[in-house]
């Protein structure tokens, strides 16, 4: 005699127990760009705060030393305006090109990008947050350099407020390049070299008066994003600044900043998936 389960018999009234149906788990909403950017910026600002004093000292001391050295060569006029403007923007270039390239190069080599890749933040927030945090430390040094240079060369302090636009726009253009150097370089040592070369270019092509440069060097100077920040600042020293040209130079900085930060974001995606 065989025993057959009742649930297999045709017409059986015995109900088969069914497992309870669970509702599908809802995923968390995708992080938006602006809140993610603010969170990354605050985290990077807290991290970089430890090195704030050495950073400010080195960047400012370098630019002030250049002003003192050039005082024995340049007397005044258009050349003095170029020296002061170039030395002030050099503080931004020191951080945006040199230090940011080193940071992203070391982050890539140490596997730190894997940590950011697991966070629910857009890649643009990581790049912009880090660039903004490092660039924030350049504000005091840039102001000190500009005021010291104006007093040293006898230039007016009337339009120093233009630095409120020059610092973020020139910083965005240079930060994008610095981040791209660090993310695209195969080794952190190469990222450091690229960052230092970029800062050296900003030093030689931005601080020296353009009137004394050969034509080929002037063309190279026009390709450097920081040049337009220097030109915008230098134009405000005159008694009657041409604000159309100032806005044009700032617009070029803004355009280059958008492109360079987009390239840095693409480089971050490329480096994070490898």
């Amino acid at each position: 005699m065989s025993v057959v389960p009742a649930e297999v018999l045709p017409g059986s009234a015995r109900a088969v127990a069914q497992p309870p149906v669970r509702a599908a788990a809802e995923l968390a909403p995708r992080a938006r760009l602006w809140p993610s950017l603010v969170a990354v910026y605050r985290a990077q600002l807290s991290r970089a705060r430890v090195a704030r004093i050495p950073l400010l000292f080195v960047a400012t001391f370098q630019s002030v030393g250049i002003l003192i050295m050039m005082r024995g060569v340049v007397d005044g006029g258009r050349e003095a305006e170029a020296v002061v403007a170039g030395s002030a923007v050099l503080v931004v270039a020191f951080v945006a090109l040199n230090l940011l390239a080193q940071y992203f190069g070391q982050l890539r080599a140490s596997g730190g990008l894997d940590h950011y890749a697991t966070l629910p933040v857009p890649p643009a927030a990581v790049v912009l947050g880090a660039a903004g945090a490092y660039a924030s430390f350049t504000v005091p040094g840039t102001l000190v350099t500009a005021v010291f240079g104006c007093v040293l060369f006898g230039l007016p302090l009337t339009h120093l407020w233009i630095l409120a636009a020059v610092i973020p726009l020139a910083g965005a253009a240079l930060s994008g390049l610095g981040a791209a150097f660090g993310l695209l370089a195969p080794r952190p040592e190469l990222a450091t070299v690229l960052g230092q070369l970029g800062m050296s270019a900003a030093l030689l092509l931005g601080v020296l008066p353009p009137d004394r440069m050969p034509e080929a060097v002037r063309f190279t100077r026009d390709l450097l994003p920081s040049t337009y920040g220097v030109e915008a600042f230098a134009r405000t020293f005159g008694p009657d600044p041409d604000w159309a040209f100032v806005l044009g130079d700032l617009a070029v900085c803004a355009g280059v900043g958008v492109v360079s930060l987009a390239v840095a974001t693409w480089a971050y995606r490329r480096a994070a998936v490898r």
Side-chain angles (χ1 to χ4, degrees):
M1 181 178 179
S2 61
V3 179
V4 180
E7 54 267 25
V8 302
L9 296 177
S12 173
R14 182 174 178 176
V16 179
Q18 298 292 337
V21 179
R22 297 180 179 180
E26 295 184 1
L27 297 177
R30 185 179 180 182
R32 293 176 295 174
L33 176 61
W34 180 249
S36 302
L37 173 60
V38 173
V40 174
Y41 173 80
R42 290 179 177 177
Q44 290 293 333
L45 199 65
S46 301
R47 178 187 177 277
R49 190 172 298 169
V50 179
R52 176 176 57 182
I53 300 302
L55 174 63
L56 291 177
F57 177 79
V58 172
T60 307
F61 180 79
Q62 174 183 251
S63 294
V64 169
I66 291 173
L67 287 172
I68 296 174
M69 179 184 65
M70 294 299 294
R71 185 64 181 87
V73 180
V74 176
D75 295 330
R78 176 64 179 168
E79 295 180 347
E81 296 171 359
V83 169
V84 174
S87 299
V89 176
L90 181 62
V91 179
V92 181
F94 177 82
V95 176
L97 285 174
N98 190 15
L99 297 184
L100 204 58
Q102 294 182 27
Y103 170 72
F104 276 107
Q106 294 174 357
L107 194 68
R108 179 185 179 186
S110 62
L113 291 181
D114 297 336
H115 166 71
Y116 284 105
T118 59
L119 298 178
V121 295
V126 178
V127 175
L128 293 175
Y134 274 78
S136 297
F137 293 117
T138 66
V139 176
T142 304
L143 292 176
V144 169
T145 303
V147 172
F148 180 83
C150 290
V151 174
L152 185 64
F153 286 91
L155 298 176
L157 301 172
T158 308
H159 300 298
L160 286 185
W161 55 265
I162 197 65
L163 289 175
V166 172
I167 293 175
L169 294 179
L174 296 174
S175 296
L177 292 179
F181 287 160
L183 292 169
L184 294 177
R187 293 182 300 176
E189 297 82 5
L190 183 57
T192 301
V193 171
L194 292 175
Q196 291 178 349
L197 288 176
M199 189 198 67
S200 299
L203 167 62
L204 296 176
L205 302 178
V207 175
L208 297 179
D211 296 337
R212 300 187 179 183
M213 295 180 181
E215 191 65 29
V217 179
R218 290 184 190 178
F219 176 75
T220 305
R221 181 177 181 269
D222 293 338
L223 298 178
L224 192 65
S226 60
T227 298
Y228 300 94
V230 173
E231 290 292 334
F233 185 26
R235 293 181 192 275
T236 62
F237 289 126
D240 187 18
D242 192 337
W243 295 108
F245 281 98
V246 173
L247 293 177
D249 290 329
L250 294 177
V252 173
C253 280
V256 175
V258 171
V259 174
S260 63
L261 290 172
V263 172
T265 302
W266 169 82
Y268 168 80
R269 289 195 183 99
R270 180 175 177 270
V273 299
R274 287 194 169 187

